[in-house]
């Protein structure tokens, strides 16, 4: 009987030790000691050999041991549950004061940006935007603009021909003709868009570039109106202090014609590297719409007059942002583009 008491004490001690060992499932210990084939059950089974007086004593003791082991298992389970929760809370905690992840967002290409700025200036003056095809007839690109076949003006615009009569437009001026054919005065449009010329690529040339064309036709339109519009455009684009000047020039589709300069916005007109010491920078071509062009579109030049102008958008962007190589605008180098 003392043997059994000792054995029970041993079982309790072993079980309690095991229950609290790291990595041991307390339920396994329950099966090992209290299960059908468990150590404690074995002791209870062997009680048959005891005397009737001894049996209740050992029975009681065995029940105490069982209760103690059960209690230890429960306590261990509670402890494990609590520490698991704590672990989870620690590992899942969110530090709301940490700086967030920054996402790089894109932005518009500098050419698109400047085109929209230019459009805004003219939209603000009551112009609307007109578009025309990039694959154009020789008629609209040249003939209707008073540039007949063999006219020397064709040489200055090295044109991509698709057939004898179809080409890639070399200027945005054909949109003038298309608008005047369809719409009677008053007309007040700008036409920004791509143009093509068979030029080799270098710092100031590209076979594809962009122009912005302007056209106003109404009764009593004068060169003074042209000057007013261009002055506003120049101040808005290059700064309040900008002045403009007209130099006599020749374009077949305007008469009189002028090349227009803006005072150098880098030096204010004193002369610097940007304006090559001139104080002025050539920026666009303009003039009063030639009577032949008006009448060719069914508009009576005795009743109506108009002015037109056209300039390169790349040129404006390059001047404004001090870009010295046009190729930068087409190469999509992020180091360049991200500066805008
Ligand atoms: N189309 C001309 C060019 O590409 C620019 C131009 C000059 C447009 C005078 C005009 C104008 O409308 O009046 O060189």
């Amino acid at each position: 009987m003392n043997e059994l008491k000792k054995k029970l004490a041993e079982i309790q001690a072993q079980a309690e030790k095991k229950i609290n060992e790291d990595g041991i499932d307390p339920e396994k210990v329950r099966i090992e000691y209290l299960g059908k084939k468990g150590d404690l059950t074995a002791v209870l089974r062997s009680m048959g050999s005891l005397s009737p007086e001894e049996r209740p004593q050992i029975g009681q003791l065995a029940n105490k041991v069982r209760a103690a082991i059960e209690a230890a298992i429960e306590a261990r389970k509670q402890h494990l549950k609590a520490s698991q929760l704590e672990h989870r809370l620690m590992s899942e905690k969110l530090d709301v004061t940490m700086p967030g992840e920054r996402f790089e967002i894109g932005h518009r290409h500098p050419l698109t940006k400047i085109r929209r700025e230019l459009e805004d200036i003219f939209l603000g003056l009551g112009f609307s935007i007109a578009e025309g095809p990039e694959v154009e007839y020789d008629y609209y690109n040249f003939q209707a603009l008073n540039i007949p076949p063999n006219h020397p003006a064709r040489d200055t615009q090295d044109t991509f021909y698709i057939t004898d009569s179809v080409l890639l437009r070399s200027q945005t001026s054909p949109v003038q003709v298309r608008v005047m054919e369809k719409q009677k005065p008053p007309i007040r449009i700008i036409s920004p868009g791509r143009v093509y010329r068979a030029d080799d690529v270098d710092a100031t040339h590209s076979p594809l570039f962009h122009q912005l064309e302007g056209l106003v036709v109404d009764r009593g339109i004068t060169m003074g109106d042209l000057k007013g519009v261009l002055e506003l455009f120049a101040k808005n684009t290059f700064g309040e202090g900008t002045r403009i000047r007209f130099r006599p020039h020749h374009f077949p589709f305007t008469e009189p014609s002028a090349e227009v300069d803006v005072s150098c916005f880098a030096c204010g007109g004193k002369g610097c590297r940007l304006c090559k010491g001139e104080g002025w920078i050539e920026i666009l071509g303009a003039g009063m719409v030639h009577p032949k062009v008006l009448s060719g579109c069914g508009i009576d030049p005795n009743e109506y007059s108009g002015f037109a102008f056209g300039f390169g958008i790349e040129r404006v962007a390059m001047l404004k942002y001090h870009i010295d190589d046009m190729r930068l605008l087409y190469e999509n180098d992020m180091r360049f583009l991200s500066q805008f």
Side-chain angles (χ1 to χ4, degrees), residues 20 97 113 143 185 301 337:
N20 290 305
T97 65
K113 236 181 99 178
Q143 289 172 54
L337 293 179

mmCIF file of all heavy atoms in Angstrom, residues 20 97 113 143 185 301 337:
data_model
loop_
_atom_site.group_PDB
_atom_site.id
_atom_site.type_symbol
_atom_site.label_atom_id
_atom_site.label_comp_id
_atom_site.label_asym_id
_atom_site.label_seq_id
_atom_site.Cartn_x
_atom_site.Cartn_y
_atom_site.Cartn_z
ATOM 1 N N ASN A 20 3.767 21.567 -17.538
ATOM 2 C CA ASN A 20 4.308 22.916 -17.663
ATOM 3 C C ASN A 20 5.554 23.014 -18.532
ATOM 4 O O ASN A 20 6.162 24.075 -18.644
ATOM 5 C CB ASN A 20 4.583 23.488 -16.272
ATOM 6 C CG ASN A 20 3.269 23.779 -15.554
ATOM 7 O OD1 ASN A 20 2.422 24.501 -16.072
ATOM 8 N ND2 ASN A 20 3.064 23.159 -14.397
ATOM 9 N N THR A 97 1.356 56.020 -36.044
ATOM 10 C CA THR A 97 2.189 57.228 -36.174
ATOM 11 C C THR A 97 3.307 57.035 -37.201
ATOM 12 O O THR A 97 4.020 57.973 -37.533
ATOM 13 C CB THR A 97 2.833 57.602 -34.822
ATOM 14 O OG1 THR A 97 3.743 56.555 -34.450
ATOM 15 C CG2 THR A 97 1.793 57.787 -33.736
ATOM 16 N N LYS A 113 1.436 69.909 -71.004
ATOM 17 C CA LYS A 113 1.197 70.971 -70.030
ATOM 18 C C LYS A 113 1.172 72.335 -70.707
ATOM 19 O O LYS A 113 0.254 73.131 -70.509
ATOM 20 C CB LYS A 113 2.335 70.951 -68.991
ATOM 21 C CG LYS A 113 1.844 70.807 -67.574
ATOM 22 C CD LYS A 113 3.005 70.818 -66.610
ATOM 23 C CE LYS A 113 3.170 72.171 -65.993
ATOM 24 N NZ LYS A 113 4.240 72.265 -65.014
ATOM 25 N N GLN A 143 -2.527 74.592 -101.605
ATOM 26 C CA GLN A 143 -3.190 75.368 -102.660
ATOM 27 C C GLN A 143 -4.201 76.379 -102.123
ATOM 28 O O GLN A 143 -4.193 77.545 -102.523
ATOM 29 C CB GLN A 143 -3.872 74.419 -103.648
ATOM 30 C CG GLN A 143 -2.862 73.656 -104.503
ATOM 31 C CD GLN A 143 -3.522 72.579 -105.342
ATOM 32 O OE1 GLN A 143 -4.461 72.873 -106.093
ATOM 33 N NE2 GLN A 143 -3.043 71.352 -105.198
ATOM 34 N N PRO A 185 -18.302 83.746 -90.791
ATOM 35 C CA PRO A 185 -17.858 84.625 -89.703
ATOM 36 C C PRO A 185 -19.044 85.034 -88.819
ATOM 37 O O PRO A 185 -20.165 85.083 -89.334
ATOM 38 C CB PRO A 185 -17.282 85.840 -90.437
ATOM 39 C CG PRO A 185 -17.013 85.366 -91.842
ATOM 40 C CD PRO A 185 -18.010 84.305 -92.113
ATOM 41 N N PRO A 301 -14.092 88.970 -99.210
ATOM 42 C CA PRO A 301 -13.055 89.809 -98.583
ATOM 43 C C PRO A 301 -13.430 91.280 -98.533
ATOM 44 O O PRO A 301 -12.785 92.043 -97.810
ATOM 45 C CB PRO A 301 -11.815 89.579 -99.457
ATOM 46 C CG PRO A 301 -12.295 88.960 -100.713
ATOM 47 C CD PRO A 301 -13.660 88.388 -100.490
ATOM 48 N N LEU A 337 11.786 64.341 -67.405
ATOM 49 C CA LEU A 337 10.341 64.597 -67.281
ATOM 50 C C LEU A 337 9.925 64.923 -65.851
ATOM 51 O O LEU A 337 9.027 65.736 -65.624
ATOM 52 C CB LEU A 337 9.552 63.376 -67.765
ATOM 53 C CG LEU A 337 9.655 63.069 -69.271
ATOM 54 C CD1 LEU A 337 8.857 61.839 -69.607
ATOM 55 C CD2 LEU A 337 9.180 64.256 -70.085
#
